[in-house]
Amino acid sequence: MRDFNFCAPTKILFGKNKVEEIGPEIKAHGTRVLLVYGGGSVKKMGLYDQVVTLLKAQSIFFVELSGVQPNPRITSVRDGVRLCREHNLDFILAIGGGSVIDCAKAIAAGVPYDGDAWDFPMGRAKVVNPLPLGTVLTLAATGTEMNGNAVISNDDVADKRGMGADSLRPKFSVLDPSLTFSVDKWQTAAGTADIMAHIFEQYFTLDKGTFIQDAIAEAILKTCIEYGPRALNRSDDYEARANLMWASSLALNGLTSTAKPEGDWATHQMEHQLSAVNDMTHGAGLAILFPVWMRYVLNEQTAPKLAQMARNVWGVDADDDREAALKGIDAVRQFFNSLGMPSSLTQGGIRRDDIPGMVQKACLFGPIGGFFKLEAKDVEAIYLNAL
Ligand code: NZQ
Ligand code: ZN
């Protein structure tokens, strides 16, 4: 096993009504807060009122940034940066799903930075001394509640890109599974697909000797296979929501990628272009692309790892690695279909004409992927196979 450093410093407050503990957690870092939320789900479920009451009870000054959209836009980030500067705010509290939290992170990075916040996703600026932030998570999917990444969309250039820094990891995250009871079937399914996709991106490497990382990854995949359908069948199944929520955080806090190279991440980069072109739900785009990517990259070198997933996760019984891998890939497709996710780009509203632009942006900085390096022609072939 390679050497590694592992540090996941976000304090997790897990369980029913854990939001009640945010006052002292915020005060440990700041007293003037930007409260960031989305299109209204937090108001419907009563979380907004509860948080506002808690902030007032602790005499914490706050200003609001609402209306953050799924696939959060750079325009919201700029608004947030302006509010923080105008009101001299020193802490950001995000209440919502991945989009709200990612927007909060980009704001946190943008406040001390002299230029435009879009410089971060474009790799033109490094994150230095961001504002501290905390989160109350309402959707199990992205893992952003425990990592330092954010993904931001820019409609002006029809692009969506990631940024990240360890200093953007939330100081604390409240994980109350009952806050996800109101997540609808579509978002529950997309969230489950996203968690699984994060595991795939880190599991599929050519490194050997990472038995423990692989075993944890396989357990997280099995958790999604067990509890994704349960949460779809009964939205207030606490056990299902709790397992999915913890799976979300563990899948992308660095745990399963320890001692591995960077991971693959090509499928995420290809998916971000689907969201950029058609505002597609992230997990739905991944559900379309992942089985197509697996089939495309299957060769003599990659077959053993794909076969390992097939056998250990899906119970495939086949001696030949290629045969096992193909069965495992079919199982992934069938599972995503059973969750109600789309299986083609056409179903997702992407047209053949969109593909050249998506290829160009996905490969803006050269070939993508680690398990299998994809050139622009490969990315084009995968998009076409997924049509
Ligand atoms: O806007 P509101 O009204 O809050 O509604 C949201 C939104 O419409 C709704 N929702 C959230 N919690 C709810 C709820 N509805 C009812 N009850 C609740 N408890 O769900 C919709 C989708 O929300 P969103 O935040 O967009 O979903 P998700 O958490 O899946 O986040 C997706 C975004 O995260 C990025 C994706 O690219 C996408 O932009 N990702 C971030 C990552 C990271 N930072 O590490 C990694 C991921 O791979 C991903 O790329
Ligand atoms: Zn993802």
Side-chain angles (χ1 to χ4, degrees), residues 101-319:
I101 296 172
D102 283 7
C103 180
K105 288 181 182 174
I107 296 167
V111 173
Y113 175 60
D114 242 356
D116 179 38
W118 183 246
D119 288 348
F120 297 112
M122 288 306 289
R124 294 191 288 246
K126 283 210 168 2
V127 179
V128 180
N129 291 330
L131 289 192
L133 73 140
T135 87
V136 182
L137 182 68
T138 64
L139 203 165
T142 62
T144 187
E145 65 275 12
M146 222 179 153
N147 69 40
N149 306 327
V151 190
I152 304 297
S153 293
N154 185 335
D155 289 340
D156 291 341
V157 289
D159 204 354
K160 180 177 180 185
R161 299 206 164 262
M163 55 182 278
D166 270 337
S167 54
L168 286 176
R169 287 183 192 251
K171 298 297 175 200
F172 67 86
S173 282
V174 174
L175 272 56
D176 177 347
S178 63
L179 292 178
T180 64
F181 287 171
S182 54
V183 178
D184 65 18
K185 282 184 193 272
W186 172 260
Q187 292 292 344
T188 300
T192 303
D194 192 22
I195 298 168
M196 295 175 75
H198 296 157
I199 293 298
F200 293 150
E201 300 283 20
Q202 301 162 93
Y203 181 82
F204 290 115
T205 64
L206 296 170
D207 267 31
K208 302 252 185 314
T210 53
F211 184 95
I212 182 160
Q213 291 87 338
D214 287 357
I216 294 168
E218 288 159 6
I220 294 172
L221 289 174
K222 287 184 197 168
T223 302
C224 294
I225 295 163
E226 172 71 20
Y227 288 109
R230 266 181 64 169
L232 282 186
N233 283 340
R234 224 193 77 207
S235 77
D236 63 349
D237 183 330
Y238 185 87
E239 183 181 319
R241 294 295 193 182
N243 276 278
L244 288 173
M245 202 166 215
W246 195 218
S248 156
S249 306
L250 295 182
L252 198 49
N253 70 353
L255 179 65
T256 71
S257 61
T258 49
K260 293 190 173 195
E262 294 260 301
D264 191 84
W265 298 106
T267 311
H268 264 72
Q269 292 190 48
M270 289 188 284
E271 193 295 312
H272 288 161
Q273 296 313 320
L274 310 185
S275 297
V277 164
N278 202 36
D279 210 14
M280 194 181 287
T281 302
H282 174 63
L286 291 167
I288 295 169
L289 290 176
F290 243 113
V292 180
W293 171 84
M294 288 176 181
R295 183 72 190 77
Y296 190 84
V297 305
L298 174 60
N299 61 25
E300 213 170 296
Q301 204 184 18
T302 60
K305 198 61 185 270
L306 283 151
Q308 182 185 326
M309 173 198 68
R311 295 185 183 113
N312 292 356
V313 177
W314 303 99
V316 168
D317 183 17
D319 290 337

Side-chain angles (χ1 to χ4, degrees), residues 19-33:
V19 70
E20 285 170 6
E21 297 177 20
I22 59 172
E25 299 297 336
I26 294 171
K27 280 187 161 172
H29 303 281
T31 51
R32 297 175 66 80
V33 170

Side-chain angles (χ1 to χ4, degrees), residues 63-77:
V63 174
E64 297 183 22
L65 175 71
S66 63
V68 174
Q69 291 166 266
N71 299 323
R73 307 303 203 271
I74 191 68
T75 45
S76 292
V77 175

